[in-house]
Amino acid sequence: MRLAEERALLCETGRRMVGDGLVLGTSGNVSVRRGDLVAVTPGGVALDALTPGDCPVLDLSGEVVEGARDPSSEVPMHLAIYESTGTAAIVHTHSTYAVVVSATMRELPPIHYNTLLLGGTVRVAPYATYGTPELAAHVGAALEGRQAALMQNHGAVAVGADLPRALEGARLLEWLCAVYVQAKAIGEPRVLTEEELVAVIGRAAQGPRGATPPGGR
């Protein structure tokens, strides 16, 4: 079976996404690239019910080279992200707070310095119908220089050098969205300034004798 290890990891990641509340039902999708091939979750199957054989393998043109199930309808977005970013793994979620923020804001400001782990202020890609080239283009632009983006009235996407890191980015983004929404419920959130963020970057750059990198404490 082609990309057997990667397909097994898709199933493990899907179960973790459901367990973490990042997806509901058959929503959301995941993919991982190795060379000129991409393993992706299929459409219409709950992510916590997948087996490796359920996950088709595609070439970079989107043609299925192995697998009986149809790939996720979001394949155009995944392939466009691979082409534009050079990343190796993508996690797409419909998590609650990400959808709330995406439906009400144009960006998620730096409510916490861990925003730096995603590249800074998280952009919201304009709305387009799922599975379309328009959505793929919007998300690709929102991801420029970032590890994650929100998708207006839709959800979120996170990328990484491997699936564990992409999933961790998706989990962090949902946490940041939750912090912002809950802060907004009791007042106007204070967001970090560029100067404050630069100071965090500088302190992390000091290495072992300075502070741990963002997220370390």
Side-chain angles (χ1 to χ4, degrees), residues 32-127:
V32 59
R33 177 179 177 178
R34 191 179 76 183
D36 293 333
L37 296 177
V38 175
V40 64
T41 52
V45 181
L47 293 184
D48 59 348
L50 292 174
T51 65
D54 289 327
C55 302
V57 176
L58 320 175
D59 62 23
L60 295 179
S61 72
E63 291 295 316
V64 176
V65 299
E66 186 170 299
R69 289 190 178 274
D70 291 333
S72 165
S73 60
E74 296 288 16
V75 161
M77 179 183 73
H78 285 250
L79 294 180
I81 292 171
Y82 285 125
E83 181 177 2
S84 64
T85 68
T87 194
I90 300 168
V91 169
H92 169 42
T93 73
H94 289 183
S95 49
T96 300
Y97 286 105
V99 174
V100 170
V101 172
S102 78
T104 56
M105 303 180 65
R106 293 186 178 180
E107 63 181 25
L108 176 67
I111 187 75
H112 188 279
Y113 61 79
N114 275 346
T115 304
L116 291 169
L117 295 173
L118 301 178
T121 297
V122 180
R123 306 181 186 106
V124 178
Y127 182 80

Side-chain angles (χ1 to χ4, degrees), residues 1-22:
M1 185 168 67
R2 296 192 191 188
L3 303 192
E5 182 179 342
E6 288 79 3
R7 290 157 96 174
L9 190 54
L10 288 179
C11 299
E12 178 186 337
T13 302
R15 289 190 292 272
R16 290 187 62 188
M17 290 168 67
V18 173
D20 289 341
L22 298 177

